[in-house]
């Protein structure tokens, strides 16, 4: 059996090309590497052709594109044979909608609020303008609705097998409400002049039997359809009669008939651009094809977790990673229900069931304690590792470079607020409008607040969202916790300070709504239901707002040092002092010892070794600055300048130079230029400045593509490429040293190390989809077989081939396997370092009872490598780690461990040790935050 708490996880991106059988084939390799749990991307039934699995259309079935049930059985058998566990990336928050593949969504379109699945979706049915009936906006039309209608792109069809009618817009099926079948059938009989025929009479008689309002209804529809199927000749007659709805240019009557029919449905078709301002169902971020689920609804929760429960009961699933928990209506309630479900599924099992959550924490934010949750997926630790490795002495110079290139101060908060304002005005305008309207209805519901103008309330709410510093609060119907109350109050004051109009209690009112104090003080004044709905719905909104503004906008505008532009990070962050790092890890060993420690995921902005290289720029700030100045001159002829447009812009050009250094291949790579061009297009659109996803600027994007093509063409830019290659060689060496330090920390710090697919060799990828390229596992397995007894000095000499990282990964995971309790439950103790390199060496002990491991890593090694020109020599590491109460076998000096000895071949080291001091309490106590 695999351990209940993983020792190491390995993330796999499952696709149609790499399904369950392909995953089963690499299980022996993962076992040899030292992995204890395969951590799989979502494998419930997703939309056909999905490259990621997050667009689930059926939570109750395994994805047939991955091989289905039989292939999954083969995977679980392989995992069981090698004692590996399986962790599922589970998506409780949303499903794929539109098209013709989600039965829940199609049922909602067919039956509207009466659908048995209507409560599963967060739809504001009554806010569509200019409609006499409730409906959901479907922004699926590629042109205007009128143009699509008149061109005949929307077609009414009859399904003879199901006796059902649907409108079709290309691959989108739009079920017709059965209460409108009577109108269609009468029109069919009239159009075909079949009223006197036996088939026509039978159809009219059937229609007459269902003469009541909204008939046939849900209960009687099956009988109606069965009767229609039984009428001889009905299918042929209907096929001919649908000509009455065959819209096209020159057929105004038929076009009007189809339009009137569509207007009487539970949906309204619209141009895809309407989604930004008019959409009335909650989406996953701004993705129209992903609709939010109301998992707070008990029947919805039970339905989407049924397969998970079955797999846990069968012993085939050993952990869960919960996607985007900040989108949940009430996360605390969700995790209580989930723990109960897992307990029932596991019967009498007493061991823990491993659960981690995708939660992005602000710098000073603490993770709430949810039932059964072991920690996060590790973004906060990724950024902590980067900050302790970066050379703080060089960040000041990079600040100044960025100031000159961007022509603005290197302050990040204004950039984030500008990005938030753009997102609120475009991508998430519709969701924000729903909230603003609800707030105005709350205010208008009582005479004491009815004078707050809707426009003022909207502006105040916008300021609150702009100044809200984290992803969300976690209040429930009972109200906020003390930290959340303080956060709301602080944000209100920041928003108030940014307000130039008369206040007159406006922000006090907003605060009382957000804390629910408005209905607690006097429950008779305002609508309880509306106040609770607003406060809890706003929590679901601030998370997507922050994500789209920070990760998907501001990160692509602010380029001081791209290594710090990472999910969960602050691009303007300072270096982290070693003492502060030690204190964080000491607390983590107590509070969250089992959360994941990630250095790359499917969502990170660049590969872990790309980031490690870029950290090195802070060690070479002078040379980097001079190089950029030369490159700007060399490449000026390759810019595209059209009137006031410069492609690329100066800040974007600076970002490209960092990207090229970070991803520069160690061996020739034929598709490198295409990769950089694809990345640049995504980065430019995400920045939402010169171009965007909503409004692509073809001229600017062509200019950027051409610039990249020209500067990477040896025939046109030989001098630039030579200079780039020379600096890239040095940055690559420093980056490799940073990578080994990063890897060592990940594997030995408190927490569970998580390895992203393929990153056991150098990972120089960029943001997705670049980081989802196929991985050559056969080559990795062959290399691992050759490294049974690594020669570390030889591997250091050939560091470019990546074998040193692969071998060191297995060495560290072997150490974890040999000391499972130490790394799972052990304490963290900083060790002092003496000598001139004390500020460049991180040393600590992991201990469980007398068992211990000493860890030391060297960082910021430019001075010891001739600025990245050679591998560091052991004799340059002056100083020692003070062992205090630890004893290393066969070590002559019991008090000190010389750095030259530790770093004889690699600037990272782990040593088994014994603790000789006095033993304290065996159980660690959680700290109070």
């Amino acid at each position: 059996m695999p351990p209940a708490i993983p020792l190491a996880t390995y993330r796999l991106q499952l696709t149609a090309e790499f399904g369950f059988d392909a995953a089963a084939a690499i299980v022996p390799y993962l076992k040899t590497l030292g992995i204890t749990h395969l951590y799989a991307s979502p494998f419930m039934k997703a939309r056909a052709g999905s490259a990621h699995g997050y667009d689930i259309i059926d939570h109750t079935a395994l994805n047939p594109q991955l091989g289905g049930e039989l292939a999954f059985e083969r995977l679980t058998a392989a995992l069981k044979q090698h004692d590996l566990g399986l962790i599922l990336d589970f998506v409780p928050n949303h499903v794929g909608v539109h098209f013709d593949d989600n039965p829940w969504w199609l049922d909602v379109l067919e039956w509207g609020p009466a659908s048995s699945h209507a409560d599963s979706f967060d739809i504001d049915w009554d806010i569509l303008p200019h409609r006499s009936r409730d409906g959901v906006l479907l922004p699926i039309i590629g042109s205007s609705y009128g143009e699509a209608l008149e061109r005949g792109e929307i077609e009414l069809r009859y399904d003879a097998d199901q006796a059902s009618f649907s409108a079709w817009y290309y691959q989108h099926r739009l079920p017709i409400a059965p209460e409108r079948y009577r109108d269609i059938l009468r029109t069919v009989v009239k159009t075909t002049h079949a009223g006197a025929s036996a088939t026509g009479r039978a159809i009219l008689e059937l229609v007459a039997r269902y003469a009541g309002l909204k008939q046939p209804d849900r209960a009687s529809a099956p009988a109606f359809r069965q009767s229609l199927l039984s009428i001889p000749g009905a299918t042929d007659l209907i096929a001919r009669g649908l000509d009455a709805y065959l819209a096209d240019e020159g057929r105004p009557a038929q076009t009007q008939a189809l339009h009137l029919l569509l207007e009487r449905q539970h949906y309204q078709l619209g141009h895809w651009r309407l989604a930004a301002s008019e959409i009335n169902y909650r989406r996953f971020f701004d993705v129209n094809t992903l609709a939010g689920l109301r998992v707070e609804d008990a029947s919805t929760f039970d339905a989407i977790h049924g397969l998970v429960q079955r797999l846990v009961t069968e012993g085939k699933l050993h952990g869960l990673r919960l996607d985007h928990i900040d989108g949940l209506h009430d996360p605390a309630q969700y995790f209580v229900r989930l723990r109960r479900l897992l307990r029932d599924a596991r019967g009498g099992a007493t061991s823990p069931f491993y659960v981690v959550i995708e939660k992005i924490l602000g710098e000073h934010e603490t993770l709430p304690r949810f039932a059964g949750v072991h920690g996060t997926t590790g973004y906060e630790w990724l950024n902590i590792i980067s900050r302790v490795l970066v050379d703080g002495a060089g960040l000041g110079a990079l600040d100044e470079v960025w100031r000159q290139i961007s022509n603005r101060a290197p302050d990040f908060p204004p950039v984030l607020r500008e990005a938030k304002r753009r997102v609120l005005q475009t991508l998430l305008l519709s969701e924000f409008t729903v909230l603003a309207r609800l707030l105005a209805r709350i205010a208008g519901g009582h005479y004491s607040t009815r004078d707050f103008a809707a426009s003022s309330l909207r502006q105040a709410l916008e300021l609150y969202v702009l100044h809200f510093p984290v992803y969300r609060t976690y209040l429930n119907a009972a109200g906020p916790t003390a930290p959340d109350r303080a956060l709301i109050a602080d944000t209100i004051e920041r928003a108030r300070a940014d307000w130039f109009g008369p206040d007159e209690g406006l922000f006090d009112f907003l605060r009382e709504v957000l804390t629910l104090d408005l209905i607690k003080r006097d429950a008779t004044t305002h609508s309880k239901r509306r106040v609770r709905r607003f406060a809890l719905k706003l929590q679901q909104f601030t998370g997507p707002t922050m994500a789209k503004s920070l990760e998907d906008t501001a990160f692509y505008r602010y380029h001081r040092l791209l290594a710090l532009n990472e999910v969960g990070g602050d691009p303007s962050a300072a270096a982290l002092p070693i003492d502060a790092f030690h204190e964080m890890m000491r607390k983590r060993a107590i509070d969250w010892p089992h959360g994941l420690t990630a250095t790359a995921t499917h969502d990170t902005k660049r590969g872990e070794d790309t980031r490690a290289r870029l950290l090195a720029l802070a060690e070479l700030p002078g040379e980097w600055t001079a190089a950029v100045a030369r490159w700007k001159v060399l490449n000026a002829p390759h810019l595209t300048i059209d009137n006031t447009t410069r492609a690329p812009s100066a800040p974007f050009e600076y970002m490209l130079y960092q990207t090229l250094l970070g991803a520069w291949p160690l061996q020739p790579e034929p598709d490198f230029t295409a990769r950089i061009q694809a990345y640049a297009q995504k980065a430019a659109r995400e920045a939402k400045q010169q171009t965007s996803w909503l409004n692509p600027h073809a001229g600017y994007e062509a200019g950027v593509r051409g610039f990249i093509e020209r500067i990477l063409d040896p025939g046109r830019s030989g001098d630039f490429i030579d200079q780039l290659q020379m600096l890239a060689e040095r940055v690559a060496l420093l980056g490799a040293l940073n990578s080994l330090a990063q890897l060592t920390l990940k594997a030995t710090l408190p927490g569970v190390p998580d390895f992203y697919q393929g990153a056991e060799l150098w990972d120089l990828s960029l943001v997705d989809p670049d980081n989802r390229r196929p991985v050559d596992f056969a080559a990795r397995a062959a290399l691992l077989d050759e490294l049974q007894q690594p020669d570390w000095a030889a591997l250091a000499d050939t560091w470019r081939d990546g074998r040193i990282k692969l071998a060191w990964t297995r060495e560290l995971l072997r150490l974890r396997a040999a000391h499972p309790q130490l790394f799972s439950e052990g304490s963290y103790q900083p060790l002092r370092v003496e000598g001139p390199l004390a500020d460049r060496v991180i040393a600590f002990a992991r201990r469980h009872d007398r068992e211990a491991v000493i860890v030391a890593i060297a960082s910021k090694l430019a001075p010891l490598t001739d600025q990245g020109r050679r591998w560091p020599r052991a004799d340059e590491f002056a100083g020692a780690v003070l062992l205090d109460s630890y004893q290393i076998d066969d070590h002559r000096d019991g008090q000190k461990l010389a750095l030259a000895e530790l770093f004889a071949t690699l600037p990272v080291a782990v040593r088994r040790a014994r603790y000789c001091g006095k033993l304290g309490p065996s159980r660690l106590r959680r700290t109070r935050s």
Side-chain angles (χ1 to χ4, degrees), residues 784-805:
L784 194 61
D785 285 342
E786 297 170 3
L787 295 169
Q788 296 296 332
Q789 299 295 326
D791 180 338
W792 298 110
L795 290 173
D797 287 340
T798 58
W799 62 268
R800 288 174 180 81
D801 61 21
R803 293 182 305 146
I804 190 170
K805 186 182 182 186

Side-chain angles (χ1 to χ4, degrees), residues 505-697:
L506 182 67
F507 286 94
D508 293 335
F509 168 71
L510 180 57
R511 184 191 63 244
E512 292 197 331
V513 172
L514 293 172
T515 58
L516 304 183
D517 289 347
L518 188 68
I519 56 176
K520 288 182 178 178
R521 185 180 64 251
D522 185 351
T524 64
T525 57
H526 294 83
S527 166
K528 280 185 172 182
R529 182 184 63 82
R530 287 176 183 163
V531 171
R532 286 192 183 119
R533 176 170 168 75
F534 175 83
L536 272 64
K537 196 174 179 70
L538 181 65
Q539 294 185 126
Q540 291 175 288
F541 176 72
T542 55
T545 301
M546 180 66 86
K548 295 304 296 181
S549 306
L550 177 64
E551 302 164 34
D552 294 345
T553 305
F555 278 1
Y556 293 95
R557 295 181 176 186
Y558 185 96
H559 310 307
R560 168 238 207 178
L561 179 62
L562 292 183
L564 301 179
N565 290 29
E566 199 47 86
V567 180
D570 177 0
S572 63
L576 184 66
I578 291 176
D579 288 345
F581 173 81
H582 283 319
E583 180 58 19
M584 289 180 175
M585 294 306 112
R586 187 192 65 79
K587 292 180 65 177
R588 188 188 184 193
I590 298 170
D591 291 341
W592 298 105
H594 301 146
L596 292 181
T597 304
T599 47
T601 76
H602 60 289
D603 277 335
T604 44
K605 299 303 180 185
R606 48 197 50 84
E608 61 183 48
D609 301 313
T610 308
R611 185 170 57 252
R613 281 187 180 185
L614 291 172
L615 288 173
L617 295 182
E619 301 179 53
L620 306 170
E623 295 183 60
W624 165 243
T625 303
V628 170
R630 292 194 304 273
W631 297 346
K632 286 170 67 69
V633 173
L634 284 173
N635 293 330
H638 303 312
L639 296 169
T640 298
I641 299 177
D642 179 17
N643 295 326
T644 59
T645 302
R646 178 191 195 271
S649 68
F652 198 84
E653 181 183 359
Y654 184 65
M655 182 277 291
L656 283 176
Y657 294 145
Q658 291 188 58
T659 300
L660 289 172
L661 274 180
W664 195 255
L666 292 163
Q667 303 294 333
E669 188 177 300
D671 64 345
F672 182 70
T673 298
R675 285 179 56 211
I676 297 298
Q677 288 174 322
Y679 170 78
Q681 176 174 286
K682 176 169 183 173
R685 289 184 177 182
E686 295 284 27
K688 305 170 189 65
Q689 291 177 308
Q690 291 81 12
T691 186
S692 69
W693 296 106
L694 284 176
N695 292 296
H697 189 302

Side-chain angles (χ1 to χ4, degrees), residues 148-274:
L149 194 66
E150 290 177 347
R151 288 198 296 255
E153 294 172 357
I154 305 170
E155 181 184 359
L156 182 65
R157 300 178 192 169
Y158 176 65
D159 184 337
D161 293 328
Q162 301 295 324
S164 65
F165 292 95
S166 295
W168 284 81
Y169 175 71
Y170 294 104
Q171 67 271 51
H172 297 279
R173 182 162 79 87
L174 309 162
I176 299 297
E179 65 190 72
R180 296 297 166 191
Y181 284 14
R182 295 174 300 168
D183 298 337
I184 296 173
L185 291 172
R186 288 193 194 100
T187 300
V188 162
V189 173
K190 180 180 178 180
T191 300
T192 57
H193 308 290
S197 69
T199 300
R201 288 198 306 271
I203 289 175
L204 293 177
E205 289 171 3
L206 172 63
V207 167
R209 292 204 304 269
Y210 291 84
L213 185 66
K214 295 188 176 181
Q215 290 294 319
D217 59 14
R218 185 101 201 196
S220 59
F224 181 95
R225 286 176 168 139
Q226 191 60 43
S227 297
L228 185 57
L229 286 172
S230 67
I231 297 175
T235 298
D236 291 339
L237 185 66
I238 292 170
R240 288 186 286 117
L242 288 185
D243 181 76
Y245 298 96
L246 187 59
D248 204 348
E249 296 178 8
R251 295 172 61 94
Q254 292 86 346
T255 301
Q256 181 69 7
L258 180 58
H259 167 63
L260 292 176
L261 177 65
L262 292 173
E263 285 295 281
R264 293 177 172 87
Q265 303 311 308
H266 298 292
Y267 47 81
Q268 177 177 302
L269 300 182
H271 193 291
W272 67 269
R273 290 185 186 276
L274 282 176

Side-chain angles (χ1 to χ4, degrees), residues 911-923:
R911 296 287 188 274
R912 290 179 171 86
R914 294 281 297 169
Y915 179 66
C916 303
K918 182 179 178 181
L919 291 175
S922 60
R923 297 193 65 180

Side-chain angles (χ1 to χ4, degrees), residues 805-816:
K805 186 182 182 186
L806 179 63
W808 187 240
T809 298
R810 181 168 63 179
E811 188 77 7
L812 292 169
L813 295 187
R814 280 176 172 173
L815 184 70
R816 290 184 67 87

Side-chain angles (χ1 to χ4, degrees), residues 50 57 95 127 167 226 375 484 590 636 643 654 699 706 746 763 818 842 866 904 923:
S50 174
I57 56 173
V95 289
I127 69 170
Q226 191 60 43
D484 278 347
I590 298 170
N643 295 326
Y654 184 65
K746 176 170 75 172
D763 173 21
I842 303 169
D866 193 13
R923 297 193 65 180

